[in-house]
Amino acid sequence: MQTQTVLFIILAVIVALILVLVQYYHRQKTKGKTIMVLSFLRFISIFGVLLLLINPKFIQNQYQIEKANLVLLVDNSSSVKNESNIIKKTLEELGSSKELKSKFNISAYSFGESFRAKDSLTFLEKNTNITKALRTTEDIYGRTTTVGVLLTDGNQTIGRDYENIKLKKELRVFPICIGDTTVYEDVRVEQINTNPYSFLNNKFPVEAVINYDGNSNINKTVSVFVDGKKEYQEKLYFSEKENSKIIQTNVTAKSIGVKSITISVETLKNEKNEFNNKKSAYIEVIDETTKIGLVSSILHPDIGALKKSIEVNEQRQVFIISPNTDKSSLENIDVFILYQPNSSFTQVYDFISKKKVHTLTISGIKTDWRFLNSVQRHIAIKNGYPIQDVLPKLNSSFSKFDVSEFSVNDYPPLETNAGPITLHGKMESILKMTIKGVDIDNPLLIVSGETARKDAYWFGENIWKWRVQEYRNSKDFKNFDDFIAKIMVYLTSYKNKNRLNVDYKSVYQGSNNEKITATYFDESFTFDSNAKIMATIINKETGVKKEVPMLLVSNFFELDISNLTPGKYSFNISVLDKSYSKSGFFSITDFDVEKQFLSANTKKLERLASKTNGRLFFSNKTTELKKQLVEDNALLPVQKKTENIVPLVDFRILLGIIALALTIEWFLRKYYGLI
């Protein structure tokens, strides 16, 4: 307690005594025990009030011993399956060590594609993400001193390269290298680059990276096969210094459908790992291109962003057109995007009305609302309103196509000066407007299309900011580009809206998370979470049939097909007790990225340890690791002091004492006639 507070308490005692003496001994002539009791009660009440005003506090110190964290991070991928006994033995030795337990708080996690607490080890995960394991450990243990013991072969298949990440100084990493550290002579197909789509009778590029590990001079032939037929081959020279080569060729798309592209390199004599001498990729050949005319009379970043997003799918070509262009150049356009239309768009709207072409109208602060109201029949917009920022809100009940995976998290606002919007006919909102956190009745993005002609309206400019924000969120544009692609697919489709929608890929890589998703809507086109969706999957090669219910996940149904063996499959998705079903075909490739590695990557693990002030160990050196951790003075437990400021007196108890003293004093004074 501070000296100043003590002096105030002494002063309060003196003041209370003086007031009591003045009241009961200076003014009162009566003396005796009664006056002494009354003066004591008055002293208690006055001193209590003064004590409340002073509110004295004192500091209470608490001491605790904080141990460093010892986090065991175990690689649970298939690449270390052959070393499972060594890993389990090492874990047991570290986890049960009395010396380590006395010095550290020990915890264990497993990682592969995901990161989780180590309850059981399967060594079946198809990917390894060491960066995620280190980042998650850093997030969990924050700024406390932490030692990460990383049991892995050092071969990462997904995620950012762990060698290049910057970790906090509180996290030190001690890798334990698992697996064969011998460097074998090996030649392999490292990577295949090709487009996901090609057009019939067009040439599509194929590029492959071939790497060699060894110190010999060799010549090997690399061949390119399309659906099993050799299309190209090239002989490459390798040496210890020239250990990486790139082949490039163009292949003609001769028929439509999904085509298998296989790159194969000749094996070495006595090569230990022949699995990585061959790698496959897939391309879908289509027989037509959708031509999209983007009509604008102004320059705006939205135009470039939309063109980039749409042309991610090479089935689509975007042509930027002036409103005053010749009508002959409009003839081959399948869909028009009308960007901020004004009176100069008259001829384009005449053409659209005559040909019944699908449209997407994007409005903004330079849109001529009177003109737009006059040239279409779906909406009526009041004008003369100020420019305002509007945020998007996804309509989860949208039924014309599946938008369940589209996320608008952290998307910046769009600008618009549109007033209240009146809808005519059957229109449905994909996105709704939110202004300053309040949901309003205006739609942000709507579509129509009960007939052969379909139209969509987007009320806001600066869409380019959404695409930029998507890259900030996820380091790619996929979420935004997929959403734009679905709008384009809808506008180029002549089908009426379906109550059952199924989303799947034609080809699934064997190492990926394979999913088929579906959405089902009731008669009012509201998402029906109570529906029972059944999937029937047939292996076209073996004829094996499998029926599996789809699971409800948020606002869509999901089927996990990652347990299926590689091959070609047909499927049927149906709603039980309803007449709705969808069918399709897909293939699962025989590819396990974990099998591409032959040896442990000791060099990268050693560089990681050096960057984090750790040290690389091998699985037969566990005793040496324990000794270093126990003897490292930088990892000693730390005594921490916590200062708590505690009130000297509980104010509720003190108020009760004051009230009780005043009450008793009042009754005694009344009883003895002193009032």
Side-chain angles (χ1 to χ4, degrees), residues 69 71 73 133-139 141-149 165 167-174 608 611-614:
N69 302 302
V71 183
L73 302 172
L134 295 174
R135 284 291 190 208
T136 307
T137 301
E138 186 179 54
D139 292 341
Y141 294 96
R143 294 188 174 277
T144 56
T145 302
T146 304
V147 175
V149 176
I165 64 173
L167 298 171
K168 294 178 181 177
K169 63 180 181 180
E170 287 81 7
L171 177 59
R172 297 171 62 185
V173 182
F174 290 78
L608 172 66
K611 279 181 61 177
T612 59
N613 199 24

PDB file of all heavy atoms in Angstrom, residues 69 71 73 133-139 141-149 165 167-174 608 611-614:
ATOM      1  N   ASN A  69       7.209 -25.083 -24.083  1.00  0.00           N
ATOM      2  CA  ASN A  69       6.381 -26.094 -24.743  1.00  0.00           C
ATOM      3  C   ASN A  69       7.241 -26.972 -25.636  1.00  0.00           C
ATOM      4  O   ASN A  69       8.069 -26.471 -26.404  1.00  0.00           O
ATOM      5  CB  ASN A  69       5.292 -25.424 -25.593  1.00  0.00           C
ATOM      6  CG  ASN A  69       4.406 -24.514 -24.776  1.00  0.00           C
ATOM      7  OD1 ASN A  69       3.787 -24.939 -23.815  1.00  0.00           O
ATOM      8  ND2 ASN A  69       4.365 -23.241 -25.145  1.00  0.00           N
ATOM      9  N   VAL A  71       6.532 -29.465 -28.570  1.00  0.00           N
ATOM     10  CA  VAL A  71       5.456 -29.902 -29.465  1.00  0.00           C
ATOM     11  C   VAL A  71       6.022 -30.921 -30.446  1.00  0.00           C
ATOM     12  O   VAL A  71       6.949 -30.618 -31.215  1.00  0.00           O
ATOM     13  CB  VAL A  71       4.852 -28.700 -30.233  1.00  0.00           C
ATOM     14  CG1 VAL A  71       3.687 -29.168 -31.090  1.00  0.00           C
ATOM     15  CG2 VAL A  71       4.399 -27.625 -29.257  1.00  0.00           C
ATOM     16  N   LEU A  73       5.571 -32.889 -33.698  1.00  0.00           N
ATOM     17  CA  LEU A  73       4.820 -32.792 -34.952  1.00  0.00           C
ATOM     18  C   LEU A  73       5.166 -34.003 -35.817  1.00  0.00           C
ATOM     19  O   LEU A  73       6.315 -34.160 -36.244  1.00  0.00           O
ATOM     20  CB  LEU A  73       5.170 -31.498 -35.685  1.00  0.00           C
ATOM     21  CG  LEU A  73       4.926 -30.201 -34.903  1.00  0.00           C
ATOM     22  CD1 LEU A  73       5.503 -29.006 -35.653  1.00  0.00           C
ATOM     23  CD2 LEU A  73       3.444 -30.008 -34.648  1.00  0.00           C
ATOM     24  N   ALA A 133       1.634 -27.098 -40.678  1.00  0.00           N
ATOM     25  CA  ALA A 133       1.914 -27.613 -39.339  1.00  0.00           C
ATOM     26  C   ALA A 133       2.701 -26.599 -38.518  1.00  0.00           C
ATOM     27  O   ALA A 133       2.403 -26.357 -37.338  1.00  0.00           O
ATOM     28  CB  ALA A 133       2.685 -28.928 -39.454  1.00  0.00           C
ATOM     29  N   LEU A 134       3.708 -25.975 -39.123  1.00  0.00           N
ATOM     30  CA  LEU A 134       4.524 -24.996 -38.401  1.00  0.00           C
ATOM     31  C   LEU A 134       3.738 -23.732 -38.097  1.00  0.00           C
ATOM     32  O   LEU A 134       3.820 -23.183 -36.985  1.00  0.00           O
ATOM     33  CB  LEU A 134       5.771 -24.660 -39.220  1.00  0.00           C
ATOM     34  CG  LEU A 134       6.771 -25.818 -39.439  1.00  0.00           C
ATOM     35  CD1 LEU A 134       7.872 -25.398 -40.391  1.00  0.00           C
ATOM     36  CD2 LEU A 134       7.356 -26.277 -38.111  1.00  0.00           C
ATOM     37  N   ARG A 135       2.959 -23.252 -39.080  1.00  0.00           N
ATOM     38  CA  ARG A 135       2.163 -22.038 -38.866  1.00  0.00           C
ATOM     39  C   ARG A 135       1.105 -22.255 -37.776  1.00  0.00           C
ATOM     40  O   ARG A 135       0.873 -21.380 -36.928  1.00  0.00           O
ATOM     41  CB  ARG A 135       1.479 -21.637 -40.170  1.00  0.00           C
ATOM     42  CG  ARG A 135       2.399 -20.979 -41.190  1.00  0.00           C
ATOM     43  CD  ARG A 135       2.819 -19.622 -40.727  1.00  0.00           C
ATOM     44  NE  ARG A 135       3.504 -18.874 -41.762  1.00  0.00           N
ATOM     45  CZ  ARG A 135       4.399 -17.938 -41.536  1.00  0.00           C
ATOM     46  NH1 ARG A 135       4.736 -17.639 -40.295  1.00  0.00           N
ATOM     47  NH2 ARG A 135       4.971 -17.288 -42.528  1.00  0.00           N
ATOM     48  N   THR A 136       0.441 -23.410 -37.786  1.00  0.00           N
ATOM     49  CA  THR A 136      -0.597 -23.678 -36.788  1.00  0.00           C
ATOM     50  C   THR A 136       0.012 -23.788 -35.397  1.00  0.00           C
ATOM     51  O   THR A 136      -0.555 -23.290 -34.418  1.00  0.00           O
ATOM     52  CB  THR A 136      -1.345 -24.969 -37.141  1.00  0.00           C
ATOM     53  OG1 THR A 136      -1.819 -24.904 -38.490  1.00  0.00           O
ATOM     54  CG2 THR A 136      -2.536 -25.175 -36.215  1.00  0.00           C
ATOM     55  N   THR A 137       1.170 -24.422 -35.293  1.00  0.00           N
ATOM     56  CA  THR A 137       1.869 -24.506 -34.002  1.00  0.00           C
ATOM     57  C   THR A 137       2.209 -23.112 -33.495  1.00  0.00           C
ATOM     58  O   THR A 137       2.035 -22.799 -32.310  1.00  0.00           O
ATOM     59  CB  THR A 137       3.152 -25.337 -34.154  1.00  0.00           C
ATOM     60  OG1 THR A 137       2.807 -26.643 -34.624  1.00  0.00           O
ATOM     61  CG2 THR A 137       3.888 -25.446 -32.836  1.00  0.00           C
ATOM     62  N   GLU A 138       2.666 -22.266 -34.405  1.00  0.00           N
ATOM     63  CA  GLU A 138       3.000 -20.882 -34.051  1.00  0.00           C
ATOM     64  C   GLU A 138       1.765 -20.142 -33.561  1.00  0.00           C
ATOM     65  O   GLU A 138       1.819 -19.390 -32.575  1.00  0.00           O
ATOM     66  CB  GLU A 138       3.585 -20.193 -35.277  1.00  0.00           C
ATOM     67  CG  GLU A 138       4.119 -18.799 -35.035  1.00  0.00           C
ATOM     68  CD  GLU A 138       4.691 -18.201 -36.308  1.00  0.00           C
ATOM     69  OE1 GLU A 138       3.963 -18.171 -37.325  1.00  0.00           O
ATOM     70  OE2 GLU A 138       5.847 -17.774 -36.296  1.00  0.00           O
ATOM     71  N   ASP A 139       0.626 -20.351 -34.200  1.00  0.00           N
ATOM     72  CA  ASP A 139      -0.616 -19.674 -33.800  1.00  0.00           C
ATOM     73  C   ASP A 139      -1.114 -20.170 -32.442  1.00  0.00           C
ATOM     74  O   ASP A 139      -1.623 -19.390 -31.630  1.00  0.00           O
ATOM     75  CB  ASP A 139      -1.696 -19.898 -34.859  1.00  0.00           C
ATOM     76  CG  ASP A 139      -1.392 -19.189 -36.169  1.00  0.00           C
ATOM     77  OD1 ASP A 139      -0.568 -18.254 -36.155  1.00  0.00           O
ATOM     78  OD2 ASP A 139      -1.956 -19.583 -37.204  1.00  0.00           O
ATOM     79  N   TYR A 141       0.597 -21.562 -29.866  1.00  0.00           N
ATOM     80  CA  TYR A 141       1.442 -21.300 -28.698  1.00  0.00           C
ATOM     81  C   TYR A 141       1.942 -19.861 -28.615  1.00  0.00           C
ATOM     82  O   TYR A 141       2.652 -19.502 -27.671  1.00  0.00           O
ATOM     83  CB  TYR A 141       2.606 -22.291 -28.674  1.00  0.00           C
ATOM     84  CG  TYR A 141       2.113 -23.704 -28.450  1.00  0.00           C
ATOM     85  CD1 TYR A 141       1.889 -24.553 -29.526  1.00  0.00           C
ATOM     86  CD2 TYR A 141       1.810 -24.157 -27.179  1.00  0.00           C
ATOM     87  CE1 TYR A 141       1.401 -25.840 -29.332  1.00  0.00           C
ATOM     88  CE2 TYR A 141       1.322 -25.438 -26.973  1.00  0.00           C
ATOM     89  CZ  TYR A 141       1.123 -26.276 -28.054  1.00  0.00           C
ATOM     90  OH  TYR A 141       0.634 -27.541 -27.853  1.00  0.00           O
ATOM     91  N   GLY A 142       1.582 -19.049 -29.616  1.00  0.00           N
ATOM     92  CA  GLY A 142       1.797 -17.611 -29.524  1.00  0.00           C
ATOM     93  C   GLY A 142       3.227 -17.222 -29.202  1.00  0.00           C
ATOM     94  O   GLY A 142       4.170 -17.667 -29.843  1.00  0.00           O
ATOM     95  N   ARG A 143       3.367 -16.406 -28.147  1.00  0.00           N
ATOM     96  CA  ARG A 143       4.672 -15.849 -27.804  1.00  0.00           C
ATOM     97  C   ARG A 143       5.377 -16.627 -26.687  1.00  0.00           C
ATOM     98  O   ARG A 143       6.372 -16.157 -26.148  1.00  0.00           O
ATOM     99  CB  ARG A 143       4.523 -14.379 -27.403  1.00  0.00           C
ATOM    100  CG  ARG A 143       4.086 -13.492 -28.554  1.00  0.00           C
ATOM    101  CD  ARG A 143       4.149 -12.021 -28.171  1.00  0.00           C
ATOM    102  NE  ARG A 143       3.878 -11.172 -29.302  1.00  0.00           N
ATOM    103  CZ  ARG A 143       4.766 -10.807 -30.215  1.00  0.00           C
ATOM    104  NH1 ARG A 143       6.005 -11.234 -30.103  1.00  0.00           N
ATOM    105  NH2 ARG A 143       4.439 -10.024 -31.217  1.00  0.00           N
ATOM    106  N   THR A 144       4.872 -17.787 -26.311  1.00  0.00           N
ATOM    107  CA  THR A 144       5.555 -18.600 -25.313  1.00  0.00           C
ATOM    108  C   THR A 144       6.691 -19.375 -25.974  1.00  0.00           C
ATOM    109  O   THR A 144       6.625 -19.726 -27.153  1.00  0.00           O
ATOM    110  CB  THR A 144       4.579 -19.588 -24.655  1.00  0.00           C
ATOM    111  OG1 THR A 144       3.962 -20.384 -25.680  1.00  0.00           O
ATOM    112  CG2 THR A 144       3.502 -18.850 -23.884  1.00  0.00           C
ATOM    113  N   THR A 145       7.730 -19.638 -25.212  1.00  0.00           N
ATOM    114  CA  THR A 145       8.880 -20.368 -25.752  1.00  0.00           C
ATOM    115  C   THR A 145       8.452 -21.779 -26.134  1.00  0.00           C
ATOM    116  O   THR A 145       7.887 -22.513 -25.316  1.00  0.00           O
ATOM    117  CB  THR A 145      10.012 -20.422 -24.713  1.00  0.00           C
ATOM    118  OG1 THR A 145      10.379 -19.090 -24.363  1.00  0.00           O
ATOM    119  CG2 THR A 145      11.221 -21.147 -25.271  1.00  0.00           C
ATOM    120  N   THR A 146       8.709 -22.146 -27.388  1.00  0.00           N
ATOM    121  CA  THR A 146       8.220 -23.424 -27.915  1.00  0.00           C
ATOM    122  C   THR A 146       9.304 -24.111 -28.728  1.00  0.00           C
ATOM    123  O   THR A 146      10.004 -23.471 -29.518  1.00  0.00           O
ATOM    124  CB  THR A 146       6.976 -23.207 -28.806  1.00  0.00           C
ATOM    125  OG1 THR A 146       5.971 -22.522 -28.055  1.00  0.00           O
ATOM    126  CG2 THR A 146       6.413 -24.530 -29.297  1.00  0.00           C
ATOM    127  N   VAL A 147       9.431 -25.416 -28.518  1.00  0.00           N
ATOM    128  CA  VAL A 147      10.325 -26.250 -29.318  1.00  0.00           C
ATOM    129  C   VAL A 147       9.458 -27.187 -30.149  1.00  0.00           C
ATOM    130  O   VAL A 147       8.637 -27.930 -29.607  1.00  0.00           O
ATOM    131  CB  VAL A 147      11.284 -27.068 -28.428  1.00  0.00           C
ATOM    132  CG1 VAL A 147      12.105 -28.023 -29.283  1.00  0.00           C
ATOM    133  CG2 VAL A 147      12.188 -26.138 -27.647  1.00  0.00           C
ATOM    134  N   GLY A 148       9.618 -27.132 -31.457  1.00  0.00           N
ATOM    135  CA  GLY A 148       8.889 -28.026 -32.339  1.00  0.00           C
ATOM    136  C   GLY A 148       9.806 -29.145 -32.813  1.00  0.00           C
ATOM    137  O   GLY A 148      10.802 -28.886 -33.493  1.00  0.00           O
ATOM    138  N   VAL A 149       9.504 -30.369 -32.420  1.00  0.00           N
ATOM    139  CA  VAL A 149      10.259 -31.533 -32.889  1.00  0.00           C
ATOM    140  C   VAL A 149       9.493 -32.111 -34.078  1.00  0.00           C
ATOM    141  O   VAL A 149       8.392 -32.637 -33.923  1.00  0.00           O
ATOM    142  CB  VAL A 149      10.432 -32.577 -31.775  1.00  0.00           C
ATOM    143  CG1 VAL A 149      11.145 -33.816 -32.314  1.00  0.00           C
ATOM    144  CG2 VAL A 149      11.221 -31.979 -30.620  1.00  0.00           C
ATOM    145  N   ILE A 165       9.390 -19.756 -45.239  1.00  0.00           N
ATOM    146  CA  ILE A 165       8.509 -19.035 -44.319  1.00  0.00           C
ATOM    147  C   ILE A 165       9.327 -18.445 -43.166  1.00  0.00           C
ATOM    148  O   ILE A 165      10.395 -18.954 -42.809  1.00  0.00           O
ATOM    149  CB  ILE A 165       7.385 -19.938 -43.768  1.00  0.00           C
ATOM    150  CG1 ILE A 165       7.969 -21.087 -42.929  1.00  0.00           C
ATOM    151  CG2 ILE A 165       6.523 -20.466 -44.886  1.00  0.00           C
ATOM    152  CD1 ILE A 165       6.918 -21.907 -42.211  1.00  0.00           C
ATOM    153  N   LEU A 167       9.307 -17.670 -39.263  1.00  0.00           N
ATOM    154  CA  LEU A 167       8.640 -18.028 -38.018  1.00  0.00           C
ATOM    155  C   LEU A 167       9.077 -17.076 -36.900  1.00  0.00           C
ATOM    156  O   LEU A 167      10.140 -16.462 -36.962  1.00  0.00           O
ATOM    157  CB  LEU A 167       8.984 -19.466 -37.630  1.00  0.00           C
ATOM    158  CG  LEU A 167       8.552 -20.549 -38.625  1.00  0.00           C
ATOM    159  CD1 LEU A 167       9.142 -21.899 -38.234  1.00  0.00           C
ATOM    160  CD2 LEU A 167       7.041 -20.642 -38.707  1.00  0.00           C
ATOM    161  N   LYS A 168       8.248 -16.974 -35.863  1.00  0.00           N
ATOM    162  CA  LYS A 168       8.588 -16.143 -34.716  1.00  0.00           C
ATOM    163  C   LYS A 168       9.798 -16.722 -33.993  1.00  0.00           C
ATOM    164  O   LYS A 168      10.028 -17.935 -34.000  1.00  0.00           O
ATOM    165  CB  LYS A 168       7.402 -16.059 -33.758  1.00  0.00           C
ATOM    166  CG  LYS A 168       6.192 -15.334 -34.329  1.00  0.00           C
ATOM    167  CD  LYS A 168       5.036 -15.337 -33.346  1.00  0.00           C
ATOM    168  CE  LYS A 168       3.818 -14.636 -33.937  1.00  0.00           C
ATOM    169  NZ  LYS A 168       2.655 -14.690 -33.027  1.00  0.00           N
ATOM    170  N   LYS A 169      10.555 -15.840 -33.356  1.00  0.00           N
ATOM    171  CA  LYS A 169      11.795 -16.268 -32.693  1.00  0.00           C
ATOM    172  C   LYS A 169      11.511 -17.201 -31.517  1.00  0.00           C
ATOM    173  O   LYS A 169      12.400 -17.946 -31.086  1.00  0.00           O
ATOM    174  CB  LYS A 169      12.577 -15.051 -32.219  1.00  0.00           C
ATOM    175  CG  LYS A 169      11.843 -14.209 -31.166  1.00  0.00           C
ATOM    176  CD  LYS A 169      12.684 -13.011 -30.748  1.00  0.00           C
ATOM    177  CE  LYS A 169      11.964 -12.176 -29.687  1.00  0.00           C
ATOM    178  NZ  LYS A 169      12.759 -11.005 -29.269  1.00  0.00           N
ATOM    179  N   GLU A 170      10.276 -17.174 -30.984  1.00  0.00           N
ATOM    180  CA  GLU A 170       9.941 -18.053 -29.857  1.00  0.00           C
ATOM    181  C   GLU A 170       9.831 -19.520 -30.264  1.00  0.00           C
ATOM    182  O   GLU A 170       9.831 -20.403 -29.405  1.00  0.00           O
ATOM    183  CB  GLU A 170       8.615 -17.616 -29.214  1.00  0.00           C
ATOM    184  CG  GLU A 170       8.679 -16.341 -28.401  1.00  0.00           C
ATOM    185  CD  GLU A 170       8.600 -15.093 -29.266  1.00  0.00           C
ATOM    186  OE1 GLU A 170       8.363 -15.227 -30.486  1.00  0.00           O
ATOM    187  OE2 GLU A 170       8.754 -13.981 -28.734  1.00  0.00           O
ATOM    188  N   LEU A 171       9.681 -19.790 -31.567  1.00  0.00           N
ATOM    189  CA  LEU A 171       9.541 -21.172 -32.043  1.00  0.00           C
ATOM    190  C   LEU A 171      10.862 -21.664 -32.630  1.00  0.00           C
ATOM    191  O   LEU A 171      11.336 -21.150 -33.640  1.00  0.00           O
ATOM    192  CB  LEU A 171       8.430 -21.259 -33.099  1.00  0.00           C
ATOM    193  CG  LEU A 171       8.227 -22.635 -33.744  1.00  0.00           C
ATOM    194  CD1 LEU A 171       7.890 -23.690 -32.690  1.00  0.00           C
ATOM    195  CD2 LEU A 171       7.124 -22.572 -34.801  1.00  0.00           C
ATOM    196  N   ARG A 172      11.446 -22.654 -31.999  1.00  0.00           N
ATOM    197  CA  ARG A 172      12.662 -23.301 -32.500  1.00  0.00           C
ATOM    198  C   ARG A 172      12.294 -24.685 -33.019  1.00  0.00           C
ATOM    199  O   ARG A 172      11.528 -25.405 -32.370  1.00  0.00           O
ATOM    200  CB  ARG A 172      13.709 -23.398 -31.392  1.00  0.00           C
ATOM    201  CG  ARG A 172      14.179 -22.043 -30.876  1.00  0.00           C
ATOM    202  CD  ARG A 172      15.050 -22.192 -29.639  1.00  0.00           C
ATOM    203  NE  ARG A 172      16.265 -22.956 -29.922  1.00  0.00           N
ATOM    204  CZ  ARG A 172      17.151 -23.309 -28.986  1.00  0.00           C
ATOM    205  NH1 ARG A 172      16.968 -22.947 -27.723  1.00  0.00           N
ATOM    206  NH2 ARG A 172      18.217 -24.003 -29.308  1.00  0.00           N
ATOM    207  N   VAL A 173      12.833 -25.054 -34.159  1.00  0.00           N
ATOM    208  CA  VAL A 173      12.460 -26.318 -34.802  1.00  0.00           C
ATOM    209  C   VAL A 173      13.661 -27.263 -34.803  1.00  0.00           C
ATOM    210  O   VAL A 173      14.752 -26.897 -35.256  1.00  0.00           O
ATOM    211  CB  VAL A 173      11.965 -26.091 -36.252  1.00  0.00           C
ATOM    212  CG1 VAL A 173      11.548 -27.416 -36.882  1.00  0.00           C
ATOM    213  CG2 VAL A 173      10.801 -25.100 -36.269  1.00  0.00           C
ATOM    214  N   PHE A 174      13.433 -28.471 -34.275  1.00  0.00           N
ATOM    215  CA  PHE A 174      14.435 -29.534 -34.269  1.00  0.00           C
ATOM    216  C   PHE A 174      13.891 -30.697 -35.105  1.00  0.00           C
ATOM    217  O   PHE A 174      13.166 -31.547 -34.586  1.00  0.00           O
ATOM    218  CB  PHE A 174      14.728 -30.002 -32.839  1.00  0.00           C
ATOM    219  CG  PHE A 174      15.477 -29.010 -32.001  1.00  0.00           C
ATOM    220  CD1 PHE A 174      14.824 -27.921 -31.436  1.00  0.00           C
ATOM    221  CD2 PHE A 174      16.836 -29.154 -31.783  1.00  0.00           C
ATOM    222  CE1 PHE A 174      15.513 -26.999 -30.652  1.00  0.00           C
ATOM    223  CE2 PHE A 174      17.540 -28.236 -31.004  1.00  0.00           C
ATOM    224  CZ  PHE A 174      16.880 -27.151 -30.447  1.00  0.00           C
ATOM    225  N   LEU A 608      16.052 -25.414 -42.490  1.00  0.00           N
ATOM    226  CA  LEU A 608      14.959 -24.988 -41.608  1.00  0.00           C
ATOM    227  C   LEU A 608      15.434 -24.922 -40.166  1.00  0.00           C
ATOM    228  O   LEU A 608      15.159 -23.953 -39.444  1.00  0.00           O
ATOM    229  CB  LEU A 608      13.782 -25.956 -41.735  1.00  0.00           C
ATOM    230  CG  LEU A 608      12.637 -25.761 -40.737  1.00  0.00           C
ATOM    231  CD1 LEU A 608      11.924 -24.434 -40.977  1.00  0.00           C
ATOM    232  CD2 LEU A 608      11.636 -26.919 -40.803  1.00  0.00           C
ATOM    233  N   LYS A 611      17.693 -21.890 -39.586  1.00  0.00           N
ATOM    234  CA  LYS A 611      16.967 -20.607 -39.568  1.00  0.00           C
ATOM    235  C   LYS A 611      16.257 -20.372 -38.244  1.00  0.00           C
ATOM    236  O   LYS A 611      16.059 -19.226 -37.834  1.00  0.00           O
ATOM    237  CB  LYS A 611      15.937 -20.570 -40.704  1.00  0.00           C
ATOM    238  CG  LYS A 611      16.509 -20.219 -42.061  1.00  0.00           C
ATOM    239  CD  LYS A 611      15.425 -20.194 -43.109  1.00  0.00           C
ATOM    240  CE  LYS A 611      14.367 -19.168 -42.796  1.00  0.00           C
ATOM    241  NZ  LYS A 611      13.350 -19.080 -43.855  1.00  0.00           N
ATOM    242  N   THR A 612      15.841 -21.448 -37.565  1.00  0.00           N
ATOM    243  CA  THR A 612      15.045 -21.300 -36.336  1.00  0.00           C
ATOM    244  C   THR A 612      15.868 -21.580 -35.079  1.00  0.00           C
ATOM    245  O   THR A 612      15.299 -21.833 -34.017  1.00  0.00           O
ATOM    246  CB  THR A 612      13.834 -22.250 -36.390  1.00  0.00           C
ATOM    247  OG1 THR A 612      14.309 -23.602 -36.528  1.00  0.00           O
ATOM    248  CG2 THR A 612      12.917 -21.917 -37.549  1.00  0.00           C
ATOM    249  N   ASN A 613      17.198 -21.556 -35.227  1.00  0.00           N
ATOM    250  CA  ASN A 613      18.087 -21.788 -34.087  1.00  0.00           C
ATOM    251  C   ASN A 613      17.900 -23.191 -33.508  1.00  0.00           C
ATOM    252  O   ASN A 613      17.976 -23.399 -32.299  1.00  0.00           O
ATOM    253  CB  ASN A 613      17.849 -20.731 -32.995  1.00  0.00           C
ATOM    254  CG  ASN A 613      19.011 -20.641 -32.021  1.00  0.00           C
ATOM    255  OD1 ASN A 613      20.141 -20.993 -32.356  1.00  0.00           O
ATOM    256  ND2 ASN A 613      18.731 -20.187 -30.809  1.00  0.00           N
ATOM    257  N   GLY A 614      17.614 -24.140 -34.392  1.00  0.00           N
ATOM    258  CA  GLY A 614      17.473 -25.530 -33.973  1.00  0.00           C
ATOM    259  C   GLY A 614      18.613 -26.360 -34.529  1.00  0.00           C
ATOM    260  O   GLY A 614      19.681 -25.850 -34.884  1.00  0.00           O
TER     261      GLY A 614
END
